[in-house]
Structures are given as structure tokens and as C-alpha cells.
């Protein structure tokens, strides 16, 4: 079937996650619990799909209330000033069967920069209620300092408390509208 379609995110079956190095040797994971995303496709193959995403900054959670409060402060996300994180795709190109490169503009902390993300298209399936679903896994890396998230603290042993590289990991399920 090859028809234009709009796909809405299924938030109950999707995760917007990230990891960052803490003290130079362990990863701390977190995610955003409030978000919306949509995809516009020309066909069920998702070739040339157009993606949009909006996340609520103060929905960040890392499993530690003090750390989450610090992340929302002006030291990092400054959620009071910048309540949303947005992404708008500029390209979605096939690399291999089921593998795509997603490019777009990420706006975070009031700064918009281009990003490139690896995308695995898991395919389509009907759920038990007759809805057509699509699954995607999106990964990538960004440097938080490119978006003005500069806070850090030096360690006595050398190095810094918080790594600059952020690993992104999104597990997304969309419902054909």
C-alpha cells in the first residue's frame, strides 16, 4: 500500500532517552516523560518521511530528584526560560534495508543546530485493534556544549563531573492516522 499518511506517536509504547558520562567512567541514564511526535509519509516504506518532535523540558527524569532539579536549573536546561525541546527533520534517506539517516534541526536551550541520527525502521504491523503501527529506533550523539549546556565541575583526580557527549536513544512506535 503506497499512500500519503500521517502517523501520531504512541507515547505508551515510546521512550525518549539519553545517557551521559558521570565522573568520566559511568553512564547516567534519563528520559523525557512528556512529548509528542508525528511523521508524514508518502508511502508505507517511510522513504522521504518528515518527522517533527516536541518534548517538555521539565518532564526530564533520571531517577534522582536532586539531579533532576539541577538539570532543570539555569546551570543546564533552564526549563523556566526554555520549556520545550523541538526537532524538525530536513531529510530521511535510506542507507540499507531498514536503515536510514535522519537529519534535522534540534532546538534546545534556545539554540537550533543541525543533527544527524541513525534510524532503524522496524517495519509495520497491525495491533489487535486493527491499527497500523510503525516502529523506529533512533540513536545519535550530540555535544551538550553546542547548545549552551556548559556547566561542569572539575574532579580532584582530573577530568570533569559531567561528560560533554550525550548519547540519544529513542524507541518510537507510531500509529497510522
Amino acid at each position: 500500500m503506497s499512500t500519503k499518511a500521517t502517523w501520531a506517536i504512541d507515547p505508551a509504547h515510546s521512550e525518549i532517552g539519553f545517557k551521559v558520562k558521570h565522573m568520566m567512567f559511568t553512564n547516567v541514564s534519563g528520559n523525557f516523560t512528556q512529548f509528542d511526535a508525528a511523521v508524514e509519509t508518502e508511502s508505507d516504506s517511510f522513504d522521504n518521511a518528515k518527522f517533527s518532535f516536541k518534548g517538555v523540558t521539565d518532564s526530564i527524569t533520571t531517577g534522582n530528584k536532586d539531579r533532576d532539579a539541577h538539570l532543570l536549573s539555569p546551570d543546564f536546561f533552564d526549563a523556566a526560560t526554555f520549556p520545550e525541546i523541538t526537532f524538525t527533520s530536513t531529510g530521511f534517506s535510506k542507507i540499507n534495508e531498514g536503515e536510514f539517516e535522519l537529519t534535522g534541526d534540534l532546538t534546545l536551550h534556545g539554540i537550533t543546530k543541525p543533527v544527524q541520527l541513525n534510524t532503524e525502521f522496524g517495519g509495520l504491523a497491525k495491533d489487535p485493534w486493527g491499527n497500523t503501527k510503525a516502529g523506529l529506533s533512533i540513536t545519535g550523539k550530540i555535544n551538550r556544549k553546542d547548545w549552551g549546556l556548559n556547566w561542569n565541575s572539575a574532579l580532584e583526580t582530573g577530568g570533569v563531573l559531567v561528560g560533554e557527549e550525550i548519547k540519544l536513544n529513542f524507541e518510537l512506535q507510531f500509529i497510522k492516522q
Side-chain angles (χ1 to χ4, degrees), residues 86-137:
T86 62
F87 173 84
T88 303
S89 67
T90 56
F92 190 66
S93 54
K94 190 174 193 173
I95 297 172
N96 291 308
E97 192 59 39
E99 293 181 32
F100 293 81
E101 178 182 273
L102 174 60
T103 55
D105 294 323
L106 176 65
T107 302
L108 169 65
H109 200 245
I111 297 169
T112 301
K113 295 220 175 248
V115 295
Q116 178 181 318
L117 304 167
N118 302 314
T119 304
E120 181 182 322
F121 177 60
L124 304 175
K126 289 244 188 234
D127 69 13
W129 300 273
N131 299 303
T132 301
K133 300 262 189 120
L136 295 106
S137 296

Side-chain angles (χ1 to χ4, degrees), residues 38-143:
V39 183
E40 292 179 14
T41 59
E42 296 172 7
S43 72
D44 285 349
S45 70
F46 272 62
D47 291 340
N48 302 310
K50 292 179 175 39
F51 291 78
S52 61
F53 168 83
K54 180 170 54 174
V56 177
T57 308
D58 73 3
S59 75
I60 195 169
T61 179
T62 64
N64 180 293
K65 287 182 182 181
D66 290 340
R67 178 173 46 230
D68 293 350
H70 190 203
L71 288 172
L72 295 175
S73 78
D75 283 348
F76 286 100
F77 288 101
D78 194 1
T81 305
F82 306 107
E84 292 182 345
I85 297 167
T86 62
F87 173 84
T88 303
S89 67
T90 56
F92 190 66
S93 54
K94 190 174 193 173
I95 297 172
N96 291 308
E97 192 59 39
E99 293 181 32
F100 293 81
E101 178 182 273
L102 174 60
T103 55
D105 294 323
L106 176 65
T107 302
L108 169 65
H109 200 245
I111 297 169
T112 301
K113 295 220 175 248
V115 295
Q116 178 181 318
L117 304 167
N118 302 314
T119 304
E120 181 182 322
F121 177 60
L124 304 175
K126 289 244 188 234
D127 69 13
W129 300 273
N131 299 303
T132 301
K133 300 262 189 120
L136 295 106
S137 296
I138 300 175
T139 59
K141 295 176 185 177
I142 62 171
N143 185 319

